[in-house]
Structure formats: C-alpha cells, structure tokens
Amino acid sequence: MPAFPEAAREAVGNPTLRANLRHATHTIRDKRARAVAELDDWAALRETGKRIKDRTLRQLDTYLLQLEEAVTAAGGTVHWAADAAEANRIVTELVRATGETEVVKVKSMATQEIGLNEHLAAEGIAAYETDLAELIVQLGDDRPSHILVPAIHRNRGEIRDIFREKMGSWGRPAPEGLSDAPAELAEAARLHLREKFLRAKVGISGANFMVAETGTLVVVESEGNGRMCLTLPETLISVVGVEKVVPTWQDLEVFLQTLPRSSTAERMNPYTSMWTGTTDGDGPGTFHLVLLDNGRTDALADEVGRQALRCIRCSACLNVCPVYERAGGHAYGSVYPGPIGAILTPQLRGTASEVDASLPYASSLCGACYEVCPVAIDIPEVLVHLRGKVAEEGGKGHRLERAAIKASTWVLDHPGVLATGERLASATRKLHPKRLPGPGARQWTESRDLPELPAEPFRDWWRKNRT
Amino acid sequence: MRVALFVTCVNDAVFPSTGVATVRLLERLGVTVDFPAAQSCCGQPQFNTGYRTETEPLVRRTVRAFEGYDHVVTPSGSCAAMVRHHYPSFGTEAGALAPRVHELTEFLVDVLGVTDVGAYFPHRVTYHPSCHGLRLLGLGERPRRLLEAVKGLELVELPGAEECCGFGGTFAVKNPDVSAAMGADKITNALSTGAEVLCGADNSCLLHVGGMLRRQDAPLRALHIAEILASTEEEPWA
Ligand code: SF4
C-alpha cells in the first residue's frame, strides 16, 4: 500500500469516483445535520456518550470480566484473541468443528480488520457477505471504502454490471435484463441472498455494543439481512473489539439515539437485534463470542490517543471530511478510512509502514470531524499528537523536516535575523520566479502562484511610520 | 485604550498591508496601538506538524513579548486559535496569555462593542470563514455583521462557506493533490457568486486560495477583512 498522498492522487484524478463521493457525502451530511438539529439536548447526549465510554474504558478489564461471566451464564462461550492471527485461528477452528465449509456474515468491521474472509478462504471455507453494500464489494473483488456505506464509491450503473457479471459464480445469478433501477438491484440481491440464508448453518457477526450486566450483544442495521444471519444458522460466532462493551442497558439508551442520527440521519435505525447466549428452540443453539484486542490495549495506554476507542463507528466524520471526499476511502489503506481511520489505524497497527506513518498527516485539521462526532473525539488533537510520535521516530523525511523546523524556530526566535531575512527577501522580490524547484516549494507552485513579496515587511513600516 | 498588535509572522513578511490596515482601523476607532518588536511567530506551524519541543521557545517568546498588555489583537484567526487553545498546555504563564489574545473581529465586536466601523468599500464581496476562526474561535456572525455595516459593500453568500479551503499549513505541501482539489472547489464556489473580492480573516488561507486565483487569472481577488474595514471614503484602500 502506498503512502496516503500517492494513493490519494489517484482518486483525485478520477472524476467518476469524485462525483460519486461528492454526491453521497453531501447528501448524507445535510440529512445528518437536520436529524441532529431536531434534538434540543444533542449537546448533553454527546457529552453523556463521551463520559460513558471514558468511564468504561477506565475499567475495561472489570467490565469485560463481567461480560464474560454473563455470556457464559447465558449459555455462550467466550474466547479471548490477542491479535488478528489468534482471532482467525479461533474462528476457523469453531467453523471446522461444525463440519461446514460455508458461512454467512453480517457486516462486521472487526472481521475485516483481521482479514477473516481471506483467512477462511485459504482454509477452504467460503464466507458470504450479506449486507447489500458488502455484497457489492465482495462480488466486485473490491475493498470497502466507507465504514457505513462500503460501496459508496460505486454508482448504480457500476453495481448493475457487477451483479450481472459476478452473481452467477457465487450462487444464484442476477435476473435477465437487470437494469440499474434501485428496486431491481435490491430485488436481485434479495433473491441471491435468500438462497444463502436458508442454506447456511453457521453465521458470523460483529456487534455495535455488548452490555456487560446481561451479556447481551447488539447490532443495529437497516436492511434486516443481519437479523437473518443472527437468527437462522445453528451456530453463531460474534467477533467483537473489546472497546465495544458498555456497562448497562441504561447506557445503551444514549447511543441508540446518537448512533442512527449520526450515521444514517434516521431518528431510529430500522433493525435493532439483541442476543443473549442461547435459548432452546429459538435462534442458534451454539453461541461463541471472540473478544478481539489487536492493538486496542496499546491504544488504551496512550493518554491522548485512547479517546479514539470511544468511537461508535457512525461514520459522520467521514461524511463531513473534505479530505475523505477527495481522496476516497481506499487511500487510507485500512478498513477504517477517513478521520477516524487516520487516528485509529496508526494506533492499532503502529506507524512502521509508509501508509501508517502518512495517516496522521492526512488532514487539514479543519475540525469538521470533531464538530460532528457524537462521542466528541477530538480528532485534530489526536492527529497532532500522532504526528509528534511519527516525527519522533524520525522515519523517511522526518529527520530532514526536524532539521528544517529547528532552523526555522531559531530564526523566528531571533527577530533581528528574521528582519534581515525578510528585508533581503523583499529587496530581491523582482527576481523571484513564479514556479520553484525543491521539496515543498515545487508542490506549492504546481497549482498556486506564490504571492509577490511586499516592498517592505511590516516591521520596517512600523519603524518608519510609528516610532 | 492601549493594545498590543500581534501581527503574526506571515503578515509581517508577506502581507504587511494587513498589519498596516489593522493599525489604521484601530487608531481610527480611538485605540492606541503598540507593536512589541520582540514578537515573531506563535509556533502554530511547528506545533501542528508535530514538533512540540521546537514550539516551546516560540511560545515563551510570544508570552514575553506581550507581558503587561490586557489586550493583544491579531488579524489572524488561526494564530489566535493557537494561543487560545494550545498555549494552556505549555504551562500557566502561557495559559494566562490565552484569554488576552483577541482575533480582530472578535476584538471589534466584543471588546470595543462596534459593528459599524465607519468603513466604505463599494464592491461586491463574499466571505470565507476559515476553519480555525469558525470552529476553534467560534467567530460566528461577527465578521459578517462588520461587513454588512460597511457602506457601499454588497455581501453575497458563499456556497459551501464552511468547507475547508485546503490550506492547512504543511498539509498543502504534504498532500498537494488533495489540497489543490479542495482549493479548486472553493474557487468554483467563490466565482459562482459573481463577487469581485473574496474576503477572509486569515491570510494563510488567502495565500493558498489567492495563489490559485492568480494562477487562473480569475476576475476575483483575495483580500483580508482588515483591509476592507480600514477603507474609508476619504482614504479608500486599493
Ligand atoms: S470518530 Fe466519531 S464521528 Fe467518526 S465514526 Fe467514530 S463516533 Fe462517528
């Protein structure tokens, strides 16, 4: 994966992609603003959500143990996975124990994060995505580019083509003469998926929340496909990040208000499914919960960065982000794109790779993300904090940059030298070319003219006219 | 009233006319302006790029330069935001400067209590509220109210006004393609208003957008709000 600036360049140069993204993000951000404006206690809800998450994170171990006890008491089994490899191994063994070679999946960021589908495929197990957008991504042999609308980068025509070409090789083919009318596309997906739901013996899910006091897991969704995955199979395996626990049902009340309004601009999401262990004759007879760490406790150890773990994956920050709007989700090189991805991914994966080291800089720090975040994550603050870490590590280019910054600080800390420099620049201004070579200057003058420097700096004007 | 002018490093070196306009405007309103020569840069570029240690000497310098002034006025929303929001994390002395620093339009409306500054500027103008002024300082309607009171000025609404112009300090250098794409959209919106002047309260954003306008030879120029407010019938600004 190339660093963010290079990956973004490709997206910026793709007019279809830019039009798709612009249209989708602007529509949803305007709707969100209206849905949020309806509530006069939004600020209080936001603050409460933030506090609940912070309180939970401070005693994460206590709540997780409470959760484990409750899940076990309700007939489920809890597994702890320190990293992606361990989680994949656990899930594969659980599926294998059922003797099945295919599973249905409800949209889950956690399983994407660990690359579960690829791992299962290598072990001879086919995983079918059942969320409409995930299905589009899977059939198109593509990667998700948005956490709520993974196929946001595709338009209807592209989706029709993918359905026509690919559905047949995965199961029931697309109906003859499929058009790009939304109703026809949805019906084609429904028929294709129904076949899978009725056949599958194993379901794999994530969860939006886990309630510690009762061991209940919660998924909120719009299509009802998730509910099919959660109730029809005989075995259900849920893979969930440890930060998704909330202490009580009362805490849930806050997020069930803020999440739908922030993400889909709905007052309430269409389907809220909750499951607690197993019940005879109702739903899956076997239930496994895989609690995933994969870098989360490392993030928790970072005083500034840990606020990223408050995230409820609403995607509001993506939809208002001017950088995401131009660069698209793929440029962020992970399942978590946009502003939250820029602060979460480098914490979960570290900053050793080029793309991870470039993510904290993938922002103009405009602050629009912080403004809309329903749990008040100060994303700009974390970005600057992570920039400090990347610079500290002194990777590619940062040693030079630090030297330049040190030099500029020295000049700025010596106004006499600064004034001389300014005077020199002003005196030679007629000689300055409009386009410049060299790092920084070249990029700058590719699309902009540098301003013509003034005849004299302000300091000199002041000295002549006011002293 | 006596105030200190914090002109900022970008204005000092590249946009001195904004500093001059600020001085004239404040003096016209009966304010005595000092320019402490020990000032330089607030440290925002260093800080935002992740170089906190390198920021410290500049924070100390800024704090020292403005010791003893109840009011420090700056024609730069983002530098005011740097001091207001980030200085407190550099210790109590730096924190004490924070509430004494006012962005220009904030100072005019909140401290002096004026919205009509007696300006005259017979042009069609649209206003870009830069992100830091908008979100970190919460300037709100202040700049617009000031502009609306200017004689002869026709203020036209900028579509997508609250969207970032794509400057973002070192962002413009580290992510040049995305930055330019954001700037291009800002310009398209600004040109659609038919305005002659794109006005803002932050010259760093105007440096970016203005540079693109000049490259395109567009019939629109970028101008700092101080220069519009300094303009009068007797002494019109260029
Ligand atoms: S960071 Fe905030 S706005 Fe972004 S997805 Fe998470 S909760 Fe939503």
Side-chain angles (χ1 to χ4, degrees), chain A residues 315-330:
Chain A
S315 75
C317 58
L318 278 67
N319 298 327
V320 296
C321 177
V323 176
Y324 175 85
E325 184 189 327
R326 273 81 183 187
H330 291 157

Side-chain angles (χ1 to χ4, degrees), chain A residues 4-61:
Chain A
F4 182 85
E6 283 90 72
R9 179 171 310 136
E10 221 175 281
V12 168
N14 178 341
T16 314
L17 178 67
R18 273 184 71 186
N20 292 352
L21 281 169
R22 185 180 164 76
H23 176 74
T25 54
H26 279 253
T27 309
I28 182 94
R29 78 169 71 149
D30 295 345
K31 278 203 207 157
R32 185 212 73 96
R34 283 196 297 274
V36 163
E38 281 180 359
L39 294 184
D40 46 21
D41 60 346
W42 183 260
L45 277 172
R46 185 178 188 240
E47 184 58 29
T48 309
K50 171 188 171 184
R51 286 222 203 108
I52 293 171
K53 282 279 182 181
D54 278 348
R55 177 160 47 83
T56 314
L57 289 169
R58 266 200 303 276
Q59 297 167 37
L60 192 60
D61 46 353

Side-chain angles (χ1 to χ4, degrees), chain A residues 32 147 259 262-263 307-308 310-320 337-341 343-344 368-379:
Chain A
R32 185 212 73 96
I147 60 181
L259 178 57
S262 302
S263 59
Q307 55 185 308
R310 292 206 294 259
C311 177
I312 56 173
R313 311 280 189 266
C314 72
S315 75
C317 58
L318 278 67
N319 298 327
V320 296
I340 181 62
I343 60 167
L344 190 58
C369 48
Y370 178 29
E371 194 173 55
V372 297
C373 178
V375 283
I377 300 172
D378 191 339
I379 296 175

Side-chain angles (χ1 to χ4, degrees), chain A residues 55-76:
Chain A
R55 177 160 47 83
T56 314
L57 289 169
R58 266 200 303 276
Q59 297 167 37
L60 192 60
D61 46 353
T62 311
Y63 290 115
L64 288 172
L65 290 173
Q66 189 188 359
L67 176 81
E68 179 181 37
E69 205 174 301
V71 169
T72 313

Side-chain angles (χ1 to χ4, degrees), chain B residues 17-18 20-22 25 28 104 108 116-128 143-144 146-155 195-201 206 221-233 235-238:
Chain B
S17 56
T18 296
V20 174
T22 306
L25 170 65
R28 194 173 79 217
L104 176 63
L108 295 173
D116 185 347
V117 296
Y120 172 72
F121 192 76
H123 298 284
R124 205 176 156 94
V125 174
T126 192
Y127 177 72
H128 167 58
R144 266 196 205 89
L146 288 161
L147 289 170
E148 272 162 7
V150 173
K151 242 171 79 189
L153 186 148
E154 185 197 349
L155 187 63
E196 304 152 62
V197 170
L198 173 67
C199 158
L206 297 179
R221 64 193 171 113
L223 200 60
H224 194 282
I225 191 168
E227 303 181 40
I228 291 176
L229 298 179
S231 181
T232 58
E233 250 163 308
E235 277 187 281
W237 201 264

Side-chain angles (χ1 to χ4, degrees), chain A residues 47-299:
Chain A
E47 184 58 29
T48 309
K50 171 188 171 184
R51 286 222 203 108
I52 293 171
K53 282 279 182 181
D54 278 348
R55 177 160 47 83
T56 314
L57 289 169
R58 266 200 303 276
Q59 297 167 37
L60 192 60
D61 46 353
T62 311
Y63 290 115
L64 288 172
L65 290 173
Q66 189 188 359
L67 176 81
E68 179 181 37
E69 205 174 301
V71 169
T72 313
T77 311
V78 175
H79 311 259
W80 299 80
D83 55 19
E86 191 174 9
N88 284 328
R89 199 167 55 239
I90 294 169
V91 176
T92 309
E93 276 163 20
L94 290 172
V95 177
R96 221 177 252 129
T98 65
E100 294 296 315
T101 54
E102 52 180 44
V103 300
V104 286
K105 285 185 67 201
V106 33
K107 177 172 176 272
S108 145
M109 306 290 310
T111 59
Q112 278 165 18
E113 176 188 323
I114 61 176
L116 180 65
N117 289 8
E118 294 75 12
H119 184 84
L120 288 175
E123 300 285 327
I125 298 164
Y128 299 119
E129 293 294 346
T130 65
D131 172 86
L132 177 56
E134 286 288 337
L135 175 73
I136 296 165
V137 169
Q138 189 174 44
L139 293 177
D141 202 13
D142 199 354
R143 287 180 297 126
S145 65
H146 189 280
I147 60 181
L148 189 79
V149 207
I152 196 170
H153 56 295
R154 299 287 200 183
N155 61 32
R156 283 190 275 141
E158 292 175 290
I159 294 167
R160 178 204 50 209
D161 295 344
I162 292 172
F163 279 11
R164 276 191 189 159
E165 281 165 33
K166 296 287 182 57
M167 268 185 172
S169 48
W170 284 78
R172 183 179 171 134
E176 279 297 311
L178 177 68
S179 80
D180 67 356
E184 278 193 40
L185 294 174
E187 183 61 10
R190 216 169 71 87
L191 294 171
H192 179 84
L193 289 172
R194 173 128 317 198
E195 188 202 10
K196 303 238 167 74
F197 287 136
L198 294 176
R199 204 171 64 201
K201 299 279 188 291
V202 182
I204 295 183
S205 87
N208 294 89
F209 305 99
M210 305 185 285
V211 185
E213 61 178 353
T214 55
T216 305
L217 273 69
V218 184
V219 154
V220 295
E221 43 140 2
S222 306
E223 296 167 0
N225 292 345
R227 181 166 291 182
M228 303 277 251
C229 289
L230 296 167
T231 50
L232 289 176
E234 291 164 8
T235 302
L236 174 62
I237 305 167
S238 301
V239 183
V240 191
V242 289
E243 83 282 16
K244 298 259 167 136
V245 68
V246 295
T248 66
W249 280 78
Q250 202 172 3
D251 299 322
L252 206 56
E253 177 236 8
V254 174
F255 301 114
L256 291 185
Q257 293 182 71
T258 51
L259 178 57
R261 284 184 199 257
S262 302
S263 59
T264 46
E266 287 163 311
R267 296 182 178 124
M268 195 180 167
N269 56 288
Y271 293 88
T272 303
S273 303
M274 300 173 169
W275 63 104
T276 312
T278 55
T279 309
D280 275 343
D282 183 14
T286 314
F287 169 59
H288 294 279
L289 170 60
V290 181
L291 289 172
L292 178 71
D293 184 328
N294 206 30
R296 284 161 175 78
T297 45
D298 292 340

